[in-house]
Structure formats: structure tokens, C-alpha cells
Amino acid sequence: MKRYLPAIVLLIWISNLYAQSPSGIESAEFVIEKERENKLPPAPRSFERINFTPYWIKDSSFSNTPSFQIIELSLPALAPLQAQTEPQKARISKEEVQSGTLIQGGFGNYGTPLLLLRHAQKVSDELSYHAAFTHRSSATGPSGDNKSGDAYNQLRIGSRHRLHPSWLVKPSAGFERRGFYFYGYEPTQLESIQRDSIKQYLQRFDLEVDIQSVQLKSPWRIEARPSFYHFNDRFNAREQTFHLPLKIQYQKIRLWQAGLDMEWLYNRRTDSSRINRSLLQWRPYFQWQNEQWDLQAAARITLDNDSTLNSSLHIYPDVAVAYHFLVDFTAKVGVRGRMQANTLYGLTQQNPWLAPEIQLLHTHIPIEVYAGLQITPSPAWRFEPLVSVSWQQYRPFFVNSSLDSARFVVRYNTEMMQQSEVSLQAEYNNGRGFYWKLQGSLWKYALNNKETLLTEAYHLPTWAFNSRLSWLPLPKWEVQMQGQWMGGIRALRPDGSTTTLQALFDMGLYNRYQFNEHLGAFIQASNIFGQSYSRYLYYPSRKITFIGGLSYRF
């Protein structure tokens, strides 16, 4: 990793030389504020233009996060979708931002210490810095005592500059490391296994520069976010990825706009052999809107070098129409397709217990049809029912290896699979310190009868409900709860038989009280009802976990 350190120093130093005009710390990953009261975002008072992209689809086509994974993790958990809780980031104005340092420490069950360090420094109106460090480790876990412990460390640094009155630049760099064990064995078998033989770690170093045009009077909007990361595990797996997203938008008059979204992903994966993969996507689009209609027409042109499809050139449709019957009632329909990139790092974010030599293929989604409503009966309430049907090929599924049941291999559907989804999102925000959100989805997967390695959609849920509540009983007291209920997950045993995992129910809680401008206390817990469940076969989750501690800012 030392060879990357000069690049970090050079990146930050060059940005300092060119800083010329005012800015704040608006987009820092955290802020240190003095005598700030917690405030939730105000409730919407007027109808917002509908978003053509369904909420279950991420902005980037290179994101491989499943649509049902909506819980934001405050502390990375080994079991994906294990509910955790984090404070909601308050929306603050530039005038409220203060330079300062925050130290937060705590301790919890399973022998879990927590340490967070945050620092923000506003050098001048032209320049600001931020840095953050997080450490969390658990000595024991749900099985085999110290053979299921885990640890997580993350360091991030960044800055924010105005290189010119029209340009904003935000470079950042980071390093993260996750240590854990392959503990997915029978308890009696786990006792006889040497702890070091099942040890694993995943570590990632990344660099990113966000460049934005911020000239309000110009009809042009340009944003580029080049990034690079190096990822490796304890064994032979290595991955280097360069990602270049570029967005260009032109809007001369209010009713229409045109633009180009482009993304290039270059991925080099090394295990016993080296594979170079490239994925390039262009998306020219045109959008027109008036008081009743929103129309969008686009095409996604993709070039890739995966050898799984007959052609490396693919053209996907991307058309959407929205009609506003009333100011608070809108209907929308759309058709779109895309190529979903799959990387080794992305797969480990979903399931870290992977076997070596995992095959990597991009997911081909030639068409997806969706329709929905957006209903805002009052300024506080919003509802979005949605339905969609998509056809997918080479989607990754996790299956326990027949050679080692504690490690997972990845299988892909070689024939087209149909996925149907019905979902509902409801939000309530009274603008006075109470916010509640519920999202629920039902899925149906129809695999082709010609599939030889897949007969079911292994380790994918058929239903899931997620809820989040934020409440400010007092100006200095913040309460948050979030819960997750998920089921219908089928898994394939190494002997070829199938099983249904127990439904997952997990409730998390976060409490924070700020005694004065410097001292605060917090307690957070997950799985507060002590439910025993497994997101992946043979990997039980921890029961109730909690961490309590103090924070000090200066």
C-alpha cells in the first residue's frame, strides 16, 4: 500500500495550489457544529417533479447493490442486511459549519470497542479539509466464540476547493480493512478447526476526484468523478478498478433539456490468472416537460469485452412518460435496459464469505418495464406504489460450495430470467421533528427450464419490508429506529438438496443526547428482540448487540 501514499499527497497538494474563490464545507462527509440543535428536513410544501428513475435503481449503472438492501449500515456488518442504525445527517447551511474535532468512543457486548475520530478544518473561504477514522472490532461472535469475531477499520481524508468561480473540486482518498472468519460450520466441526486456517481479511485503497461546474447562469452543467481502487484479500485475490463517470447537461430554456451520461469501467482481476475487463456506456437523452407532462427519451449504448454474449455492442431503450393529473397525483410509465457491472469488490459487499477463483460476469438486462404512481395527499405524506417486470441474464447467485460449505461460489443464469416486482414506499414528515418511512417489496423469479446449474433464485428474498423512524423529542435528544423483515429465501445445500431460511426480523435503535456544546452520550443496538436468523446458509447472525459511549467535540 505504501506505493499509493505519494499519489494521495500529490492529489491534495495540487488541489491546494489552485484554490482561488469562496466555498464552505457543504459536502464534507461529516461536520462539527457548536450549539447546534437537531433538526429534521422540513416537510415538502409543494409537489416535486417526478423522478424518472425508480427508487429501487441506483443512479450508477455500475452499482451492484440489490434493490432490497436499503438499510444504511453505520458499522459494516459481516452479514449483509443485518439491520444497524446510524444518526440521520442533518441538513445544515454553510453559515453553521464550524472547524473542529469530534471524538466518540464506546464499548458493547461481544467484546466490542468503538472509536470514531472526525476533524473538519476551514482554512479559508477558498479551502477546507476533512478527515475521519473509524475502528470497531468484536472479540467473539455468534458461533465458536473467537472464531466468529470480526474487525473493521476505515480512514478517509478529503478537501474541497474552488479552482475557478465556475468549478468546484473535491478530492478524497481512503483505506478500509475488514477482518473476519469463515465460521459457517457445525459447532462440533468448528471446534476442531484451527482459527488461523479460517481467517480472512478484505482491504481496499481508493482515490477519487469530484469535479463539478457550478456557474448558475450558464446553460451547461458538467460533472466528472474519476476514481481508482485497489482491492485484495488475505490470499491471492487482487482487483484494480478505474471508473470514470461523466455527466453533461444543457438547458437553455425551462421546458426542455438535453444531455449525455457516460461511464467507463476498467477492471483488472488477478487470482490464479489475470483477466482484464472493460465496460463503456453512453446515454444521450432529451427531456421535455410542462405543467402536465414530463417526457424523457434516451438510449443506452454499451460496449463490453465479456465473452458471454454474442456481441460486445448492445443498445438499450430508456423512455419514460409522466402525467400530472393533479398537483399531488402523478402517474408514470417507462421502459429501460442496461448492463449491470459486477466486480469482486461489489460481490464481497453483498457476501464476504466467497471462495477463491470467483467468476465475474456483467448482468445483461435487455428490458425492464415499470409503472407507478406518486401521491402526495398532504404536505406531510407521500406514497409511491410501483410495479416492474424485467428480463435478466447472467445475474449472480450465491451458492454454498460443495468443496467447503463455509465458502460461497457464484453461479449465473445463462438463460433469460424474468423478475416481477410490486413495491410500495410511504413517507411521513411533519417538519417538526418526526420522520417515518416504510418500503415494502414482493418479488417473483421465473428461471428458464433450460438452466442446468440453477433451479431457483438462491439467497434472494421473495418479500421484504423496511422501516425507518426519526424523532426529536427534545432539541438535544435524538431517537432513531429502523427495522427489517424479510423472507422466502431459498438456499442450496452442498449435497444438492434445498432449504428455506427462517424469516429475518431485525429491529435497530439509536439514541443520542447532547448535554452541552461539547459533551454527548449515545447508545445504539441492533436485533433488539434477539432473533436468531441467517441471511446466508450456515452463517447465523449475532443476537442482541449494543454499544454505548460518550462523544466530545471541540
Side-chain angles (χ1 to χ4, degrees):
M1 258 346 125
K2 293 182 179 178
R3 60 188 178 188
Y4 296 111
L5 293 178
I8 302 177
V9 176
L10 181 62
L11 182 69
I12 304 298
W13 178 71
I14 291 176
S15 301
N16 291 342
L17 291 178
Y18 292 96
Q20 294 180 6
S21 59
S23 68
I25 319 179
E26 297 169 350
S27 60
E29 291 185 27
F30 57 89
V31 294
I32 309 298
E33 305 169 54
K34 297 188 177 180
E35 299 183 6
R36 179 177 68 86
E37 294 183 352
N38 296 313
K39 293 182 180 179
L40 290 175
R45 299 186 180 277
S46 60
F47 178 79
E48 298 177 7
R49 280 292 180 182
I50 198 158
N51 184 359
F52 279 112
T53 304
Y55 63 80
W56 63 86
I57 298 174
K58 301 296 182 181
D59 291 338
S60 172
S61 60
F62 294 134
S63 173
N64 194 47
T65 304
S67 57
F68 52 83
Q69 188 171 1
I70 67 166
I71 294 293
E72 299 177 358
L73 303 180
S74 59
L75 301 174
L78 288 183
L81 300 175
Q82 180 175 338
Q84 301 282 343
T85 310
E86 68 172 353
Q88 181 175 334
K89 298 175 183 177
R91 297 180 182 178
I92 57 176
S93 66
K94 184 167 60 178
E95 289 73 25
E96 294 177 289
V97 175
Q98 302 287 335
S99 297
T101 302
L102 170 69
I103 301 176
Q104 182 171 314
F107 194 82
N109 60 340
Y110 293 98
T112 304
L114 171 68
L115 175 64
L116 294 95
L117 303 175
R118 304 284 189 265
H119 179 73
Q121 182 66 45
K122 184 178 180 180
V123 179
S124 65
D125 288 340
E126 294 83 18
L127 175 65
S128 62
Y129 295 102
H130 62 270
F133 172 76
T134 300
H135 167 81
R136 180 197 58 81
S137 60
S138 296
T140 61
S143 180
D145 293 329
N146 62 358
K147 293 180 181 177
S148 57
D150 63 282
Y152 177 78
N153 292 280
Q154 183 188 58
L155 173 66
R156 292 211 64 83
I157 59 174
S159 58
R160 187 178 187 278
H161 315 261
R162 285 266 194 166
L163 300 186
H164 185 272
S166 300
W167 293 95
L168 179 66
V169 177
K170 296 179 286 185
S172 64
F175 175 78
E176 65 176 16
R177 179 185 171 108
R178 301 172 65 188
F180 55 93
Y181 296 89
F182 294 96
Y183 65 89
Y185 299 96
E186 291 290 337
T188 55
Q189 184 182 3
L190 188 59
E191 290 179 4
S192 62
I193 297 177
Q194 292 293 324
R195 184 167 174 251
D196 191 65
S197 66
I198 57 174
K199 185 178 181 180
Q200 172 68 301
Y201 66 75
L202 306 174
Q203 58 186 23
R204 180 179 186 262
F205 167 80
D206 69 274
L207 288 169
E208 179 181 280
V209 181
D210 186 5
I211 306 170
Q212 303 175 21
S213 63
V214 291
Q215 179 57 263
L216 298 179
K217 295 182 180 180
S218 172
W220 292 93
R221 295 289 182 271
I222 302 174
E223 181 177 1
R225 186 175 291 184
S227 64
F228 167 82
Y229 74 75
H230 170 88
F231 173 73
N232 66 277
D233 69 0
R234 186 190 176 200
F235 305 104
N236 297 321
R238 302 288 185 273
E239 183 177 66
Q240 293 86 34
T241 299
F242 176 75
H243 182 207
L244 177 60
L246 174 65
K247 295 183 178 183
I248 303 174
Q249 175 186 311
Y250 180 81
Q251 184 173 12
K252 185 66 174 178
I253 60 177
R254 184 179 63 87
L255 296 179
W256 66 269
Q257 66 179 25
L260 173 67
D261 296 338
M262 187 275 286
E263 286 186 282
W264 178 43
L265 182 80
Y266 177 78
N267 176 266
R268 184 173 69 179
R269 181 267 183 88
T270 305
D271 221 317
S272 60
S273 61
R274 177 175 294 178
I275 301 176
N276 296 321
R277 308 165 67 229
S278 178
L279 179 59
L280 179 62
Q281 301 197 68
W282 295 273
R283 182 181 172 272
Y285 68 88
F286 175 83
Q287 184 171 331
W288 178 85
Q289 64 183 35
N290 62 13
E291 292 183 356
Q292 287 190 308
W293 290 95
D294 282 1
L295 307 176
Q296 178 179 276
R300 191 180 296 273
I301 306 166
T302 301
L303 282 171
D304 76 282
N305 65 350
D306 271 358
S307 59
T308 52
L309 300 175
N310 295 328
S311 172
S312 61
L313 175 64
H314 313 279
I315 300 177
Y316 303 101
D318 193 347
V319 179
V321 179
Y323 182 76
H324 309 285
F325 293 95
L326 300 169
V327 71
D328 51 8
F329 186 87
T330 298
K332 63 178 177 180
V333 295
V335 178
R336 59 172 285 160
R338 63 195 183 279
M339 184 74 74
Q340 187 83 35
N342 295 313
T343 64
L344 181 60
Y345 175 73
L347 292 178
T348 61
Q349 291 297 101
Q350 300 175 54
N351 184 345
W353 299 287
L354 297 182
E357 307 289 343
I358 290 297
Q359 185 183 18
L360 296 177
L361 299 174
H362 298 315
T363 301
H364 173 50
I365 308 176
I367 189 169
E368 177 184 14
V369 182
Y370 60 90
L373 301 174
Q374 182 171 290
I375 305 168
T376 312
S378 70
W381 283 98
R382 174 176 301 206
F383 300 92
E384 284 194 36
L386 290 152
V387 296
S388 72
V389 180
S390 64
W391 286 262
Q392 306 177 14
Q393 188 178 16
Y394 300 108
R395 179 166 180 171
F397 298 88
F398 298 111
V399 178
N400 296 77
S401 171
S402 59
L403 302 177
D404 186 344
S405 62
R407 289 168 170 80
F408 291 83
V409 297
V410 178
R411 294 183 181 177
Y412 298 86
N413 57 307
T414 57
E415 304 293 334
M416 202 65 68
M417 178 189 75
Q418 179 181 317
Q419 174 182 295
S420 304
E421 180 177 359
V422 178
S423 58
L424 172 67
Q425 180 172 272
E427 290 184 68
Y428 176 79
N429 185 350
N430 65 5
R432 299 186 301 275
F434 188 90
Y435 173 82
W436 174 75
K437 179 179 181 180
L438 172 68
Q439 180 174 322
S441 295
L442 304 175
W443 293 274
K444 182 179 180 181
Y445 313 98
L447 287 160
N448 194 296
N449 294 329
K450 297 180 181 179
E451 293 289 348
T452 57
L453 297 178
L454 289 169
T455 58
E456 298 184 59
Y458 300 122
H459 283 110
L460 290 183
T462 57
W463 55 268
F465 295 90
N466 299 276
S467 180
R468 181 164 187 164
L469 181 147
S470 297
W471 180 35
L472 303 176
L474 297 172
K476 295 185 177 182
W477 182 17
E478 178 183 4
V479 178
Q480 290 199 33
M481 297 184 68
Q482 58 186 32
Q484 186 166 202
W485 190 27
M486 177 189 303
I489 301 173
R490 299 281 289 170
L492 179 67
R493 296 191 181 100
D495 61 6
S497 62
T498 58
T499 183
T500 300
L501 301 185
Q502 180 181 346
L504 177 162
F505 178 71
D506 199 319
M507 182 70 72
L509 174 68
Y510 177 85
N511 263 276
R512 181 173 71 88
Y513 188 83
Q514 195 70 27
F515 297 104
N516 53 46
E517 62 178 305
H518 300 293
L519 183 64
F522 73 95
I523 183 170
Q524 66 181 47
S526 62
N527 200 5
I528 60 177
F529 294 109
Q531 299 294 307
S532 178
Y533 64 84
S534 296
R535 176 61 184 90
Y536 291 101
L537 184 61
Y538 304 137
Y539 278 92
S541 66
R542 293 184 175 96
K543 293 189 177 181
I544 182 170
T545 62
F546 62 85
I547 298 176
L550 301 172
S551 63
Y552 190 85
R553 61 185 68 194
F554 52 89

